[in-house]
Amino acid sequence: MKIIAFNGSPRKDGNTSIAIDTVFEELKNIETNQIYLYDYEIKPCTACSACVNNKDCKCAHDADFNKLYQEILDSDGIILGSPVYVASVTGQMKLFLDKLAIVSKANNDPNARKVGSSIAVGRRAGHLPTLQAMNSALLVCQFIVPGSSYWNMSIAGAKGAVSEDSEGIGIFRQLGKNMAWLLEKLQ
Ligand SMILES: Cc1cc2nc3c(=O)[nH]c(=O)nc-3n(C[C@H](O)[C@H](O)[C@H](O)COP(=O)(O)O)c2cc1C
């Protein structure tokens, strides 16, 4: 089995990255890979409807998005992780979510019933709308979305501070355990 995490932070090895790795630690015997969305040039959706007409699981104008979407098609589940930026996801994550949803709907939701979860890390406030933005995309694509012991969030500002939020780390660990349990049931 394989789980791919998409990190919407521009900071390499930052708080979102550590949070994702914490979930990964609980996905024992499962292949994992973390992808930084900022390493790709995802273009904004222009509502051209080419994906709806072509039905080839691709955006006709976005080779980088297509690479990422192929990773999802080849996986058993995904994690979406974003820092809170002005009470929502980062711009790069939003570009990804728009195409994730529209290419999925154009192709009859090819990732339906895979496992999908989201993670938000922020300094003070705005975690819930950030999670809602990512969960909305997962749910509309028919991913099955497990929860944790609390919403999947941590309070952390400075790079690395997520490691000091013991409650947040515990939430991410429990999320990993729930994902592993669900993946096994769905197999
Ligand atoms: C442009 C920008 C906007 C931000 N907006 C918020 C916010 O609305 N609420 C919040 O709690 N933190 C906000 N933050 C802080 C980040 O969410 C926080 O530093 C987070 O830990 C960064 O995660 P990373 O290390 O994975 O990039 C913002 C940071 C930046 C750079």
Side-chain angles (χ1 to χ4, degrees):
M1 281 194 285
K2 186 158 82 169
I3 297 290
I4 308 290
F6 297 95
N7 184 340
S9 170
R11 283 206 289 205
K12 289 271 164 71
D13 304 319
N15 291 322
T16 309
S17 177
I18 295 167
I20 288 168
D21 283 341
T22 304
V23 179
F24 278 175
E25 282 170 21
E26 300 299 331
L27 300 177
K28 300 184 170 69
N29 304 319
I30 294 171
E31 188 185 336
T32 55
N33 185 23
Q34 180 170 175
I35 292 174
Y36 287 93
L37 294 178
Y38 275 81
D39 286 342
Y40 295 80
E41 285 186 27
I42 306 168
K43 301 188 186 98
C45 176
T46 58
C48 71
S49 296
C51 60
V52 176
N53 296 324
N54 295 340
K55 301 198 183 310
D56 58 358
C57 286
K58 288 186 169 66
C59 171
H61 312 289
D62 199 332
D64 273 14
F65 172 79
N66 292 337
K67 280 184 217 157
L68 298 172
Y69 198 72
Q70 189 60 49
E71 292 280 353
I72 301 176
L73 292 172
D74 294 340
S75 77
D76 300 285
I78 64 171
I79 297 170
L80 302 173
S82 181
V84 180
Y85 272 20
V86 194
S88 192
V89 293
T90 59
Q92 193 76 348
M93 176 58 79
K94 182 66 169 94
L95 292 172
F96 183 61
L97 295 181
D98 288 353
K99 290 197 175 176
L100 175 63
I102 195 70
V103 171
S104 178
K105 301 321 294 177
N107 291 278
N108 198 25
D109 296 334
N111 299 294
R113 297 181 182 166
K114 293 183 182 180
V115 175
S117 64
S118 58
I119 285 174
V121 184
R123 190 184 65 81
R124 183 169 292 271
H127 300 70
L128 290 181
T130 305
L131 289 171
Q132 188 184 349
M134 293 184 280
N135 286 340
S136 296
L138 292 171
L139 290 166
V140 84
C141 299
Q142 300 191 50
F143 282 91
I144 297 175
V145 181
S148 182
S149 52
Y150 195 77
W151 298 295
N152 306 332
M153 52 169 276
S154 169
I155 303 286
K159 194 172 180 182
V162 69
S163 302
E164 291 152 32
D165 175 18
S166 58
E167 185 176 354
I169 293 294
I171 293 163
F172 298 137
R173 285 205 185 288
Q174 187 60 40
L175 175 64
K177 289 188 175 96
N178 291 350
M179 284 186 81
W181 181 89
L182 184 57
L183 282 160
E184 195 175 322
K185 296 281 174 204
L186 292 173
Q187 240 201 347

